[in-house]
Amino acid sequence: MADIGLLPAFLQSWCTRNSIVFQSRNTAHYHLQSNSLCCSYATKISRVNYGFGFWRTQSLVTPSLTKPGTRSFAKNRNRKVLVFQCSQLESKNYHIIVLGGGVAAGYAAFSYVSMGGESNQLAILSDEPVPPYERPSLSKGFMDPDIRMEPSEFYTCAAVAQFPQDEKWYEEHGVDLYLNTRAQQVDISSKKIICENGYIFYYEKLIIATGSRARRYSPSQVPFSNLDGILYLRSIEDANVVRNWIDELKGQGKAVVIGGGFLAMEIASALVVNNIHVTMAYPGDYLLNKLFPAQVAKQYEQVFRDKGVEMLNNCFVENFYERNDGFASAVRFQDGRKVFGDFFIVCIGAVPNIELFQGQLQLQNGGIEVNHRLQCVGHSDIYAVGDIASFPLKAYSNRPVRIEHVDHSRKSAASAILDIFHGNPYGNTKHRDDPRLSVFRAAIDTTYNYIPFYYSRMFELCWNFYGDNSGTTFVWGNVPSKMVTLWIDWSNKIVGILLEGCSPFEHRVAHQIAVHRPKVDTSELQRIAQVSQVFEHLLNLLPEKMEKIRTIQEENVNK
C-alpha cells in the first residue's frame, strides 16, 4: 500500500484535504474486500509519475476512473491525477473518545459507567487485540509457573469492579470498544480521527491515553540488535514470546536481562522462579538508581544474588553476536565484557506515543503538557492521561512531571472523566456510594492533586513508595525483612517514604505523611533505632489524623 507521504510535497496537502490514501497507476491493483477498496500495490511515486488516487463518496460503486478536469498542478499542467471513486466507511460520532487501549482506557470506561454516563457515547480506540488489561500482570502473574494467568483474568478493574471488564462488559454497559484499531491521523482542528482500517471518528471530548512503547535498540547504533532472541516486554504479544522461550527451555536455559529498573527486576525474578539462570546487566552503579538510595539498592541486589542472579553494573551495550541459525548468542558491553545467553530481554525504558500530536499540541518532558485538570494547554476539550501527560504536581510546588506507573494511569483517567462531568463526583447516581470506587478517591476534585505512588513485586518482596525522592535519606531496617526509608528536603519536611514488608496500617500512615509532608527534627530521627519506633514518631507528626489512624489500627488488631 503506497503512502501519500511518497508524493511530491506540493501534492500531499491536496491529497490530505481530499482523503486520498492509496495510489497506483494500474487499476488491477485495486480490489473490493468486505465493501472496502483495497490496494495490494506499493511503489515510490515520483514527480513524473503521480499515479492514481481515490477520494471517498457516500455511495458504493464499482471502482471506476474519472478525470477531474480542474485537477492540474503547476509543475506540469498537462498531467492530471486520475481519481477512483469508492464507498466511504461509516463515520462515527461520540461525546468522548479515549484514544488508546491500555490501563487508563479501562479505568476511564469504568469511571464513566460508574458516573452514569450515557450509553454509546464513549468509545475506546485500541490497537490491541484484547480489551484493556492490567499491564503489570505481564511480568508477574502471566509469568508465574504456578498460576499462569491469562489476559481474561487480569482485565482492568478486576480488583475494583470484582468482575472482568471483558468485551461482554463493554457491550452490556454501552461502551463501544474498537479493537485492532490504530489511529493514523488526528486532526484536532476538525476533531477527527482517521484510523488505519479506514474508520473515521469524530469527538466532542478526546482523552489521549496512547501510553508508551518499549524503547528499542537501533541496529545502526547497536549492531545485530534486531536478531531473533532479543526480546522486549510491553504487550500481550511480547509476553507470549517470553513465555514461549521459558516453556521451550524447560528450566535449562540462560537469559540476560538488560536494564536496572523495576520492570527489569520483575522480569528477572519471574525468570528465576521459572528455573532460568539469569544475568542482570544495568548501566548504573546500582539497581533503580533513579529512585533508590545506594544503601537500599545494595540490599535488593543482595537478594537477587542470593537467588542465583549474576549482577553486572555499569554495563553499556556495544553490540550483539549472531549464532549460525540467526539468533542472538551473546552481548558485548563497551568495557569489553561479553555475556552469553539463550535469549535476551531488553528493559531500557519507554518512549511516549505522542507522534500523532506533534505540531498540534504543546509538548513538555517528552509528553503532552496539561493543566491541573489534565486538559491539554490551549485545548479544553482534549485531555492527556497516563504515561504521556506532563502535569503540574500540585503537592510539590506545581513542578511539571511525567509519571510512567500504573497508579497514575488509573487515577488520571478517572480524574479526566470526572472533569468532563463538570466536577460532579460520580454523577450523583446510585453508584455514588459504591465502595468499589475507593481507587478513584484521589480524583474526587476536578483538579488532579496526585500524590506519586509506585510499587513493585519480585520474589517474596513488595516495595511501595509514596511522595518525592528528593533530599536527604534516612534508612531503618533491612531487606528482605522490614525496611523504611524517609526523604527529607531542605526545609526539613518529609517529602517521600519507601516501605518494604510493612503492614496495611503502616502504609496508611506513610500515605498521610506523603500528603501532609510534616516538618521533622532530623536529630530526633538519628536517635531512632527500630522500624517500629519510626511509625510511632510519624504518628506524632500527624496530630489531627492520629486519633482516626489509631482507631483504624485498633480495629485491625481486633479483627
Side-chain angles (χ1 to χ4, degrees), residues 504-505 508 549-559:
F505 161 70
R508 292 190 184 96
I549 294 176
R550 286 189 184 279
T551 300
I552 295 174
Q553 182 185 27
E554 292 172 359
E555 290 176 353
N556 289 338
V557 171
N558 292 334
K559 289 179 181 179

Side-chain angles (χ1 to χ4, degrees), residues 310-475:
E310 182 182 5
M311 309 294 287
L312 304 177
N313 63 352
N314 296 309
C315 291
F316 299 88
V317 173
E318 179 77 20
N319 64 273
F320 290 88
Y321 291 89
E322 183 178 8
R323 295 192 323 219
N324 293 333
D325 56 2
F327 285 81
S329 63
V331 58
R332 181 178 181 273
F333 301 105
Q334 292 179 3
D335 60 4
R337 284 180 288 182
K338 186 176 180 181
V339 181
F340 289 87
D342 294 295
F343 65 102
F344 305 78
I345 304 181
V346 180
C347 308
I348 54 174
V351 180
N353 296 316
I354 59 173
E355 288 80 3
L356 289 171
F357 303 96
Q358 290 177 340
Q360 298 192 86
L361 297 176
Q362 193 163 319
L363 306 182
Q364 183 184 66
N365 292 333
I368 297 174
E369 184 179 3
V370 298
N371 60 21
H372 282 296
R373 295 166 61 187
L374 298 174
Q375 296 168 318
C376 297
V377 174
H379 300 274
S380 60
D381 54 354
I382 303 178
Y383 296 76
V385 300
D387 292 3
I388 62 166
S390 176
F391 65 98
L393 199 57
K394 187 176 179 180
Y396 297 89
S397 304
N398 294 317
R399 184 177 80 246
V401 297
R402 192 174 62 80
I403 295 177
E404 297 177 356
H405 198 275
V406 66
D407 182 69
H408 162 61
S409 293
R410 293 165 177 162
K411 290 175 180 174
S412 61
S415 185
I417 291 292
L418 184 63
D419 193 75
I420 292 174
F421 273 68
H422 305 294
N424 184 11
Y426 307 120
N428 280 330
T429 68
K430 63 181 181 180
H431 301 285
R432 180 185 180 94
D433 299 319
D434 193 331
R436 296 174 298 176
L437 294 171
S438 59
V439 71
F440 300 122
R441 295 310 179 196
I444 287 292
D445 197 354
T446 54
T447 58
Y448 189 53
N449 187 13
Y450 182 66
I451 300 299
F453 171 63
Y454 310 92
Y455 69 88
S456 183
R457 300 187 185 96
M458 70 285 297
F459 301 121
E460 302 83 16
L461 306 177
C462 178
W463 59 260
N464 293 259
F465 174 81
Y466 303 84
D468 186 33
N469 64 325
S470 61
T472 305
T473 56
F474 290 80
V475 181

Side-chain angles (χ1 to χ4, degrees), residues 41 71 76 99 114 117 126 134 171 191 217 277 297 323 328 341 371 384-385 452 466 470 478 493 496 498 517:
Y41 179 74
R71 302 299 185 193
N76 187 339
L99 184 58
S114 300
S126 172
E134 301 285 358
E171 182 179 352
K191 296 189 174 183
Y217 288 127
H277 178 74
R323 295 192 323 219
N371 60 21
V385 300
Y466 303 84
S470 61
N478 292 281
K493 287 185 176 181
L498 173 70
R517 301 178 301 285

Side-chain angles (χ1 to χ4, degrees), residues 98-102 105 123-133 135 176-183 195 197:
V98 180
L99 184 58
I124 295 175
L125 310 185
S126 172
D127 61 1
E128 296 257 19
V130 297
Y133 53 89
R135 201 174 300 276
D176 292 348
L177 176 63
Y178 295 86
L179 301 177
N180 299 303
T181 302
R182 181 186 295 272
C195 298
N197 57 12

